[in-house]
Amino acid sequence: MKAADFFTLPRSLAPFLAAFQPDAPPWEWLKQISAALAARRMDPSLKPLPPGTQVEGWVYVHPSVKIPPTATLIGPAWIGANTEIRPGAFIRGNVIVGEGCVLGNSCEFKNCLLMDGVQAPHFNYVGDSILGNGVHLGAGAILSNFRLDQQPIVLRLPDLTVETGLRKFGAILGDRAEVGCNAVLQPGTLLGPRALVMPAMAFGGWLPPATIAKVRQSVTTIPRRD
């Protein structure tokens, strides 16, 4: 299983091409985010930001980015062209964002790579995760990144088990994957391209491309009382 099975790094993120090899396992990309950002620190740092925007550390924001005065940006971070940052967004370090994304109101992003066209518009948590091109998170969708027992994340794939060595690992979402409203992805979840997790469910493990994870519903008829 390699990164190229999930996504292709877009042109907008060409400055980071050397850090993210398509033949590497996608979870290995998480370990490269910090180093990739460190290599770009000589680039221009900031566009003029609205009064009240809190910025700490090195942050690159493309001049076309829409940004409100109530967002918080903690570097290192790179925000690509035509991205929209909405009120209350919290960018918490080691974040790379491609072109045309939405970082929504009251959403938090930490140690993550978002490719072009990612939409995380409402009340999402995206930590230690990689989101492919065109990924969409429904309102309240959470990418959980830390086991309750605090043990390293183990991937149980169809044909093998992988010890990642990572204590924090959220999710890998392939191109155009979708996560429904108020769904929770458990630590170490992998969604193939165009995979879909239905709303209001907890899902973990591996979901193959172009498949749907959903909760089985049972309906009980209430007897009539005449």
Side-chain angles (χ1 to χ4, degrees):
M1 186 174 287
K2 57 185 184 296
D5 297 329
F6 289 81
F7 28 62
T8 300
L9 202 71
R11 285 187 177 183
S12 66
L13 298 178
F16 302 102
L17 191 60
F20 302 113
Q21 296 299 312
D23 291 334
W27 49 89
E28 292 296 323
W29 283 24
L30 292 172
K31 304 173 184 178
Q32 302 301 318
I33 293 174
S34 178
L37 284 164
R40 307 305 305 174
R41 289 189 182 221
M42 298 304 294
D43 289 342
S45 57
L46 285 175
K47 61 171 278 189
L49 299 178
T53 303
Q54 181 179 349
V55 179
E56 299 178 16
W58 181 85
V59 178
Y60 169 80
V61 178
H62 190 275
S64 63
V65 171
K66 296 180 180 179
I67 184 166
T70 53
T72 299
L73 286 72
I74 298 177
W78 170 289
I79 313 298
N82 300 310
T83 286
E84 179 182 358
I85 299 176
R86 293 180 177 172
F90 183 21
I91 297 169
R92 190 160 64 90
N94 288 332
V95 173
I96 299 174
V97 179
E99 182 172 348
C101 298
V102 175
L103 280 61
N105 64 291
S106 304
C107 296
E108 182 176 350
F109 304 87
K110 170 254 180 186
N111 193 51
C112 57
L113 169 61
L114 280 58
M115 299 183 202
D116 287 359
V118 170
Q119 296 188 32
H122 315 285
F123 309 107
N124 305 119
Y125 175 71
V126 181
D128 301 281
S129 298
I130 301 175
L131 278 57
N133 300 281
V135 164
H136 175 259
L137 304 182
I142 302 297
L143 311 188
S144 178
N145 66 336
F146 193 55
R147 287 174 46 148
L148 287 176
D149 61 7
Q150 303 183 21
Q151 295 302 305
I153 309 300
V154 177
L155 303 180
R156 291 179 173 84
L157 304 175
D159 54 349
L160 76 161
T161 298
V162 178
E163 302 275 354
T164 68
L166 297 168
R167 293 182 68 247
K168 293 193 174 182
F169 175 7
I172 304 292
L173 276 59
D175 288 343
R176 299 184 302 284
E178 299 254 355
V179 181
C181 295
N182 292 319
V184 177
L185 300 188
Q186 298 172 9
T189 294
L190 307 176
L191 304 187
R194 296 184 294 112
L196 189 151
V197 175
M198 294 293 283
M201 68 175 294
F203 179 83
W206 158 240
L207 186 62
T211 56
I212 300 175
K214 55 185 177 180
V215 178
R216 292 184 178 179
Q217 296 181 342
S218 60
V219 177
T220 301
T221 302
I222 301 175
R224 292 180 59 182
R225 294 183 179 180
D226 296 327

